[in-house]
Amino acid sequence: ELKVEQNPLFLSMQEGKNYTIYCNYSTTSDRLYWYRQDPGKSLESLFVLLSNGAVKQEGRLMASLDTKARLSTLHITAAVHDLSATYFCAVLMNYGGATNKLIFGTGTLLAVQP
Amino acid sequence: EAGVAQSPRYKIIEKRQSVAFWCNPISGHATLYWYQQILGQGPKLLIQFQNNGVVDDSQLPKDRFSAERLKGVDSTLKIQPAKLEDSAVYLCASRRQPSSYEQYFGPGTRLTVT
């Protein structure tokens, strides 16, 4: 069974600083997602990474994927308070036909302090 | 395009009572998912429908949980009888087809079992 691990689980950082969230997974997959979740809200899709070496950027967030290392990173540049949220990575497992399943990581709670 | 709709948004029941949740996916989306998200954890897939057929219910506690999608559009998830450990947010998500990249999440139903 695929396992998805994120670290750190909690990240407190100051505004203006840079940091990286790591997502490791245990089985080969060709699709990885990053989601954001605000307290009491649903999941907002940030990035879909489809191939080895894929890099996507939106504002202060940049995600990358290394399928050989089974590792994805979410890099935060010059953090601002509005980025405070829980970030999840999720790996798609295909079981053939119409059966596929998103396996989520444990989440990283990001708190950006002024 | 309207998003995934869920109701109710909140529900408080006593243990051993029954409860039902409703989900209306995005129009035209053939694939529908129900997830359970326990506080502090990532969402866990309970059941996946393709049109009105079940393609994966391996994680659904079938002794107390049931779900249906009779006309291939909206869906209901039922718990009978509820246990304390069922307290969670129940998220519905839909995808246009299994091979589509994006999975869209609804706002969720927060269930508290006392």
Side-chain angles (χ1 to χ4, degrees):
Chain A
E1 177 75 8
L2 171 66
K3 291 188 178 179
V4 182
E5 295 181 345
Q6 282 181 243
N7 70 83
L9 298 182
F10 177 71
L11 177 56
S12 178
M13 55 191 301
Q14 288 185 316
E15 282 190 326
K17 299 292 187 182
N18 304 332
Y19 211 84
T20 300
I21 299 170
Y22 297 88
C23 174
N24 290 90
Y25 53 100
S26 60
T27 306
T28 301
S29 172
D30 59 0
R31 205 179 295 178
L32 188 140
Y33 298 77
W34 283 96
Y35 290 91
R36 169 181 172 146
Q37 188 175 39
D38 291 289
K41 305 289 186 181
S42 191
L43 294 161
E44 173 192 354
S45 178
L46 296 174
F47 302 108
V48 181
L49 302 170
L50 301 175
S51 60
N52 188 42
V55 177
K56 289 197 174 179
Q57 183 164 3
E58 180 73 33
R60 301 175 187 273
L61 300 177
M62 183 174 71
S64 66
L65 178 62
D66 181 344
T67 57
K68 293 180 182 176
R70 296 177 189 164
L71 171 68
S72 180
T73 61
L74 181 66
H75 186 73
I76 303 151
T77 302
V80 293
H81 180 70
D82 285 352
L83 290 179
S84 297
T86 299
Y87 293 84
F88 291 96
C89 65
V91 177
L92 187 73
M93 286 302 300
N94 265 311
Y95 295 92
T99 305
N100 53 60
K101 184 186 294 188
L102 271 182
I103 309 296
F104 282 82
T106 47
T108 296
L109 175 58
L110 173 65
V112 181
Q113 313 295 339
Chain B
E1 177 176 72
V4 177
Q6 289 188 248
S7 67
R9 295 294 313 278
Y10 306 92
K11 190 74 177 178
I12 301 174
I13 62 172
E14 295 181 351
K15 59 184 179 183
R16 292 187 290 272
Q17 286 187 322
S18 302
V19 65
F21 314 128
W22 174 81
C23 171
N24 191 20
I26 294 173
S27 178
H29 281 201
T31 308
L32 184 147
Y33 307 84
W34 283 101
Y35 290 86
Q36 180 192 58
Q37 185 177 21
I38 293 172
L39 185 65
Q41 299 181 18
K44 182 186 80 171
L45 180 69
L46 291 175
I47 189 167
Q48 176 190 349
F49 290 94
Q50 179 66 17
N51 297 310
N52 61 347
V54 175
V55 295
D56 184 1
D57 62 357
S58 58
Q59 304 267 59
L60 188 74
K62 298 180 187 65
D63 57 334
R64 298 183 299 106
F65 286 65
S66 64
E68 60 184 12
R69 193 185 184 199
L70 291 175
K71 296 182 180 179
V73 181
D74 54 354
S75 175
T76 56
L77 176 70
K78 297 178 182 178
I79 308 175
Q80 179 180 9
K83 293 185 175 181
L84 295 177
E85 57 261 37
D86 298 332
S87 294
V89 175
Y90 291 85
L91 294 166
C92 179
S94 70
R95 193 195 294 263
R96 183 167 295 280
Q97 54 191 5
S99 58
S100 301
Y101 295 144
E102 286 290 351
Q103 187 172 129
Y104 297 89
F105 285 83
T109 296
R110 183 176 298 274
L111 173 67
T112 302
V113 182
T114 64

